[in-house]
Structures are given as C-alpha cells and as structure tokens.
Amino acid sequence: MQINGSKIISISCESTIDEAIFFMARNNIRRIVIYCNNKIYGIFTVDEALRNLLFKSEARLRDVELKKAVKIPSTDIIHVVKSMVENNVDSVIYDDKIITEKDVVFSYHFPKEVDVNNIAKDALNIPPYTNLISAIEIMVKNHIRHLPVIEKEPIGMLSARDIIYYYAQKYTVDVPVMEVMNPHLICVDENYSRSEAVKVMKEYNIGSLCVNKNKIVTLKDFIRYIFTTFQIK
C-alpha cells in the first residue's frame, strides 16, 4: 500500500519562531520544513512552537531544536510507519513531498471487529478556567498535543494547533483555556470499531477523539497499532 503525501511547505532557518508560528497559522498547517543553505535542516512543528512559547524565545530557527527530517526510500506504508515509530517523528519526507500521520491513518483500512477502546488511553484533562500557560506546560511535560476540557462533563478539547493559531492572532497565551478550546468536543462510544473511529476523525478532520468521555485516542495511537501489526506479521 502506497501513501500519498503533500507538497513540502518550507521557510528559511533565518526566520524567527514567531514568523514560523504566523506562517503555520496563515497556511493552516501543523509543521514546516526548514531549509538552511538550500538543504533540509529539520522540521518545525506545533510541539516546538509550544515549547518555545513557554520561554518566549525570539530565536531564529537555526538556533532551536527541531524535529529530525527523516527521508524514506519509498511511500510503501511499511517504510512510512516504521520510519515514524523508530525515529519518533510524526512525518517523513519522500522526494518533494511530506507524509504525515494523518495521511497514513486516513488511508489505512482498519479491522471493523476491534474496538477503538483497546488502543485509547486515559486522558489528562483540565478545567476550563486553567490558564493557557499551565496547559502548555502540561502538554510539553507529557509530550501530548490534546487536552480534554472538563467541568463535571467534557465541554471541549484543547489542541496544540488551537494554541498556536490563537497566539498568531492575539499574540498572548495569558488567557483561560475556555477562550481557546474547541467547544465542539467529538466523542465516540467505547464499542466503536477502529475503522468507525477513524471515519469520524476523517469526517471532522481532527487528530484526536474522546472515547467514552474519559479516554482519548490520537493519530499516534493508530500509527503504533499499524506498526505492531506489521511487526507481528
């Protein structure tokens, strides 16, 4: 099975972190390929953006830690998934295209008989009046991109993308989470199959799902499942 990606979107390593964040928001993307001297230098994602927001860094991209740009020899799903998991990255590069976790998960045919609850995890969550800076600290510390927002019941989802796009508009992260979260929380029952869960994620173009109100499943969980499946075979 071959996985299609999309054309690489890039900026120079001479750009600042803020310039990269504004570029991401303007182009509605979660990662940018960084070039130095006409060579790929690394990949700047929402993870790096969050980390640098905590320290209010004004550094240029050449001076910050970026994700490794992993090049693959083919777009075969085995090469793609293996490279993602073994290098702990959420995208890989083939020729002039970038292939993301979403490209893989939305293309893969998951078994209908297996519940999504089997790969979902207990979710870290926050109340709606949490300061956004505290939420960023939780995300960075736990290496996660999504936090359900709960006030007795789940009322929204805060994602790294939401934070980055908000910052690009308001130039601050000193606000309550409720001002930034997506109030349209998408949840599925624990008995949903993995294929049904992915169908919902694809329909809403989201990277995570609330499962049975207290768990969460993300694109990375599906990638690990695919990797395990290929390892077994």
Side-chain angles (χ1 to χ4, degrees), residues 205-223:
N205 193 30
I206 53 179
S208 69
L209 266 182
C210 168
V211 179
N212 203 30
K213 296 186 177 180
N214 62 350
K215 288 189 173 185
I216 190 170
V217 64
T218 68
L219 293 171
K220 188 172 292 293
D221 295 319
F222 285 104
I223 290 292

Side-chain angles (χ1 to χ4, degrees), residues 14-230:
E14 296 301 320
S15 302
T16 65
I17 291 168
D18 275 355
E19 286 172 339
I21 290 174
F22 298 148
F23 186 84
M24 292 168 79
R26 188 166 59 248
N27 289 278
N28 192 30
I29 54 178
R30 299 176 180 85
R31 60 188 59 77
I32 316 171
V33 176
I34 309 303
Y35 275 82
C36 263
N37 300 319
N38 295 318
K39 293 183 179 180
I40 294 179
Y41 186 67
I43 299 179
F44 182 82
T45 76
V46 291
D47 299 327
E48 288 70 47
L50 286 185
R51 189 167 62 244
N52 284 282
L53 279 183
L54 279 181
F55 304 107
K56 298 180 180 179
S57 173
E58 298 179 2
R60 298 190 181 277
L61 296 173
R62 65 167 184 257
D63 299 321
V64 302
E65 183 179 351
L66 303 175
K67 274 195 174 63
K68 180 181 178 182
V70 178
K71 296 183 179 181
I72 54 174
S74 82
T75 59
D76 182 81
I77 189 170
I78 296 178
H79 283 130
V80 174
V81 172
K82 189 171 186 290
S83 296
M84 284 180 173
V85 173
E86 292 183 349
N87 290 281
N88 192 30
V89 295
D90 60 3
S91 64
V92 291
I93 292 174
Y94 175 76
D95 198 14
D96 62 346
K97 291 188 175 183
I98 187 166
I99 299 172
T100 68
E101 290 177 334
K102 183 179 287 186
D103 294 325
V104 176
V105 174
F106 286 5
S107 301
Y108 189 73
H109 298 293
F110 290 90
K112 294 181 179 180
E113 66 277 6
V114 184
D115 294 342
V116 69
N117 191 54
N118 291 339
I119 61 171
K121 298 177 181 177
D122 291 336
L124 291 175
N125 57 71
I126 51 176
Y129 299 103
T130 304
N131 189 280
L132 191 58
I133 296 173
S134 297
I136 295 173
E137 289 175 342
I138 292 171
M139 286 182 170
V140 171
K141 179 180 178 180
N142 292 280
H143 306 287
I144 57 177
R145 293 180 177 177
H146 302 88
L147 282 170
V149 181
I150 294 180
E151 190 172 34
K152 294 184 180 179
E153 292 287 324
I155 61 171
M157 180 72 77
L158 179 71
S159 72
R161 181 183 64 174
D162 295 331
I163 297 171
I164 297 310
Y165 289 5
Y166 181 88
Y167 176 79
Q169 291 180 335
K170 306 293 186 180
Y171 207 62
T172 182
V173 288
D174 190 17
V175 294
V177 161
M178 63 188 300
E179 290 190 20
V180 184
M181 71 179 190
N182 185 340
H184 305 293
L185 182 63
I186 309 299
C187 282
V188 297
D189 186 86
E190 62 183 2
N191 294 320
Y192 263 56
S193 70
R194 292 173 193 178
S195 62
E196 289 172 327
V198 170
K199 185 177 179 181
V200 173
M201 294 173 75
K202 193 172 183 178
E203 178 183 352
Y204 290 95
N205 193 30
I206 53 179
S208 69
L209 266 182
C210 168
V211 179
N212 203 30
K213 296 186 177 180
N214 62 350
K215 288 189 173 185
I216 190 170
V217 64
T218 68
L219 293 171
K220 188 172 292 293
D221 295 319
F222 285 104
I223 290 292
R224 287 171 178 155
Y225 165 77
I226 297 171
F227 177 74
T228 302
T229 300
F230 286 135

